[in-house]
Amino acid sequence: MNSQDSQQPAGNPYEQIAQGAQGKRGQIDPELLPYLVEADREEQIELPISDASADPQESQRLREILRAGGIAMPDELADDESIAEGEAGQEAAEASFNETAAAAVSSDEALQADFEVAQVYARILQRRPEHNISPTKARIERALDYLSDPQLSYPSLHIAGTNGKTSTARIADSLLSAQGMRVGRFTSPHLVSVRERISIDGKPISPQAFLQANQDVEPIIALADKEGESAGEGYLSFFEYLTALAFQAFAAAPIDMGVIEVGMGGRWDSTNVLDSPVQVICPISFDHEKWLGDTLSEIAGEKAGIILPGATVICGPQEAEALEVIRQACREKDATLRLFGEDFTVSDHKMAVGGQMFTLTTPAASYQDLYLPLFGRHQAVNAALAIAAVEALGAGKPLSEEVLAAGLDAARSPGRLEVLGGSPTIIVDAAHNPAGAAALRAGIEDAFGFQKVVGVFSAMGDKNVEGILAEMEPLLDAVVTLPMDGERAMEPVELAKIAGEVFGAEQTFAAPNLLDAVDRAVSLTEEGELPADAVGIVIFGSVVLAGQARQLLAPRIREDRKRR
C-alpha cells in the first residue's frame, strides 16, 4: 500500500503552505496552486475579516493571500466628502454613507467566503495530488454511496480524450444552456481559481455554494477515508475529493444536465461513475504514458473505458490504431458509434473576424455558416463534437438556428489559443503535449498573418518537452524559456538545453520569471522593425503557465486600454 494513500491530511493547511514559501515547494503540487502561495506564517490564521480590516498590517496580509489565489479584491471606497458637495450635499452624503456601509458589509462577507474557500482548498491540497494516481474507483464509489450517489440524480454528458476535452465541454455547456437547461460542468485543471473546475450556469461555482458542498461532503469523506484505510485503499485523492464535491454541488443546485470531463484516462477515473446516455471521445494521442500505456491502443483502451452499454459514442478524429479499439469497445457494449469524418463532417471552413465559420453536416441536419468565436481548426472539430453530442442527448433531433447561434456565440475557452492583447499580439495556450502543440501551431498559422513569432515556454519534467518544441519550431523565430516552481517542474538548465538543441543557441534565450520572459520576447519582436500586427508572442507549455500569464497580463492590458 502506498504510504501517501494512507496518510491522513494534516490539520493545519498554513503550516505546509509556509514551508513552501520558504523554498520547500515540493510539499505541494504546483499545478494545484493558485491560493495561499504567498503565506509565510506557521500558525493557523483564524482572524475574522472585520478584525483584519481594523489592523492595516493584517488587512494587507489578508489581501496578499487572497490576491495570490487570484481572488478579486474590492475597489477602494470612494471619498464621501467629494459626494457631499452641492445643494443636496447632506442628502447625498447620507445616501452615500448608507450605500457604502451596505457595500462594505457585502464586500466583507464576500471576502470572508473567499478566504474560507482558500482554507478548504489548502486542506484538500494536502491529499495525494491528481498526477499521483492510485488506479481504482473503490474510494470514490464508497464516498458517493455514502452521499446517496448524487451524480445519478441528473443526466450527464461524459467527455474523455487527450486533447480538446475542456473546449468541447465548454461548447456543449453553452449549447445546452441556450436550450434553457441549467448545466453543471466539471473540468480540470483550473487556470486561476479552483472554483473554475465546478461551473453552474456557465460561471464558476460561488464561494458560498462551494463551501456548502464541502460542508456536505467533508464528514462523509472522512468516514470513507477511514474505511478506505482499513481496506488498504487509502484516502481519497485531491481529484477524487473534488469530484465528490462537484457531484454534490450539482445535485444541490439542482442542475438539469451535467457535462463531466474525465480527469485522466477513463476506465478507473473517478468521474467514471456516471449513468450517461452519451459519451464523447476527443482525439487521442500520447500523454500520461506512465499511467495509461506506451501505445495508442493501450491509451485508447483506457479512454474507451467510459463507454456504457447501449450508449451513443461521439468520436473525434483518431489514428487507426486508437479507432479500432474504440470500435471494438462499442461492439462489445452494443453502443452506437458516431465518428467524425464519416457520420458528421466539417466543410467550407474559413477564417472570420474574431474566430471562424464552417458548415457542419450531421445525420440530423446540415448547419450552414456556423460562426465560432474561437481560433484554430481544431476548435471547429471540438464544436462539431459538442453539437453532435447535444443532438444525441436530444434523441437525434436537429438543433434550432437560435440555439446554435446563441450557444456558439457564447462559447469561450480561456487559455486555449486565447488572445490576451495586441502590439504585439500575445497569445496564450495550455498546450502541454506534442499533439496540442501541433494544433496550436496550425491555429496560429491559419488565423494570424504573423511574419515573426517568439515563444515563451516552460513545462513539467514529465512532459515530452522535445516533442512539444519540435512541433512549434517551424513557427517560432525564437524561444524564451523560464522556470516554474515545484518538484514536477523541469530544471531550468535542462529546459534551456533541450530548447537550444531544437532551436539552436542563437534563437534560444532564458529568463528568471514570466514577466522578464515576456519583456524579453517583446524586445525580440521589435528587432527588424516589423509592423506591430506582423509580430506575435505565444506563451505555451503548461496549464500552470497559461494561468499565470492570464493573471499577469490581463490587468496590464486593461490598464493599457484605459490609457488609450
Side-chain angles (χ1 to χ4, degrees), residues 422-437:
S423 300
T425 300
I426 300 178
I427 298 167
V428 62
D429 195 279
H432 55 272
N433 56 46

Side-chain angles (χ1 to χ4, degrees), residues 333-381:
K333 300 290 181 66
D334 194 27
T336 301
L337 178 64
R338 294 282 181 262
L339 179 63
F340 179 86
E342 292 184 7
D343 300 296
F344 58 106
T345 58
V346 167
S347 60
D348 299 330
H349 184 272
K350 54 190 174 185
M351 293 299 108
V353 176
Q356 57 190 299
M357 296 183 72
F358 60 93
T359 292
L360 173 64
T361 303
T362 74
S366 179
Y367 305 108
Q368 306 287 323
D369 295 329
L370 297 177
Y371 173 73
L372 180 69
L374 301 173
F375 295 108
R377 289 177 182 263
H378 62 289
Q379 293 288 18
V381 174

Side-chain angles (χ1 to χ4, degrees), residues 177-225:
S177 296
Q179 291 182 331
M181 291 187 179
R182 189 172 203 200
V183 182
R185 185 183 71 242
F186 182 52
T187 56
S188 61
H190 58 270
L191 290 170
V192 176
S193 168
V194 68
R195 293 188 291 107
E196 296 168 27
R197 296 180 180 232
I198 306 170
S199 167
I200 298 177
D201 295 328
K203 299 177 181 178
I205 187 173
S206 70
Q208 293 79 9
F210 182 95
L211 293 169
Q212 181 59 58
N214 182 70
Q215 184 176 322
D216 293 341
V217 304
E218 192 169 33
I220 301 299
I221 289 178
L223 176 61
D225 281 342

Side-chain angles (χ1 to χ4, degrees), residues 265-268 281 284 292 295-307 321-322 325-326 329:
R267 180 173 58 87
W268 39 256
I281 300 183
I284 294 171
L292 305 182
T295 68
L296 282 181
S297 293
E298 292 174 326
I299 296 172
E302 295 294 338
K303 308 283 187 184
I306 70 167
I307 296 173
E321 187 180 350
V325 173
I326 295 169

Side-chain angles (χ1 to χ4, degrees), residues 244-477:
L245 194 154
F247 289 163
Q248 178 64 23
F250 294 156
I255 62 169
D256 301 313
M257 180 70 68
V259 177
I260 312 299
E261 177 189 328
V262 167
M264 184 187 294
R267 180 173 58 87
W268 39 256
D269 187 75
S270 64
T271 65
N272 197 21
V273 291
L274 305 171
D275 186 17
S276 59
V278 179
Q279 295 91 52
V280 177
I281 300 183
C282 296
I284 294 171
S285 61
F286 289 98
D287 203 4
H288 303 299
E289 291 93 331
K290 178 180 178 182
W291 305 108
L292 305 182
D294 296 322
T295 68
L296 282 181
S297 293
E298 292 174 326
I299 296 172
E302 295 294 338
K303 308 283 187 184
I306 70 167
I307 296 173
L308 297 181
T312 298
V313 178
I314 308 300
C315 185
Q318 306 291 351
E319 296 289 341
E321 187 180 350
L323 180 57
E324 180 51 39
V325 173
I326 295 169
R327 287 189 188 276
Q328 181 60 31
C330 288
R331 287 192 289 266
E332 292 173 356
K333 300 290 181 66
D334 194 27
T336 301
L337 178 64
R338 294 282 181 262
L339 179 63
F340 179 86
E342 292 184 7
D343 300 296
F344 58 106
T345 58
V346 167
S347 60
D348 299 330
H349 184 272
K350 54 190 174 185
M351 293 299 108
V353 176
Q356 57 190 299
M357 296 183 72
F358 60 93
T359 292
L360 173 64
T361 303
T362 74
S366 179
Y367 305 108
Q368 306 287 323
D369 295 329
L370 297 177
Y371 173 73
L372 180 69
L374 301 173
F375 295 108
R377 289 177 182 263
H378 62 289
Q379 293 288 18
V381 174
N382 294 334
L385 293 173
I387 292 169
V390 173
E391 279 186 349
L393 288 169
K397 296 178 181 178
L399 306 185
S400 69
E401 290 184 9
E402 293 76 17
V403 164
L404 281 169
L408 293 181
D409 186 64
R412 298 293 182 270
S413 194
R416 276 78 179 174
L417 248 174
E418 182 181 13
V419 177
L420 292 185
S423 300
T425 300
I426 300 178
I427 298 167
V428 62
D429 195 279
H432 55 272
N433 56 46
L440 170 60
R441 187 188 81 204
I444 293 175
E445 290 173 341
D446 283 346
F448 303 91
F450 293 140
Q451 298 178 43
K452 185 175 187 178
V453 185
V454 176
V456 172
F457 177 77
S458 193
M460 297 298 173
D462 57 355
K463 297 300 179 182
N464 182 358
V465 170
E466 184 175 1
I468 297 169
L469 291 175
E471 289 289 352
M472 293 293 289
E473 190 275 335
L475 172 71
L476 301 181
D477 294 273

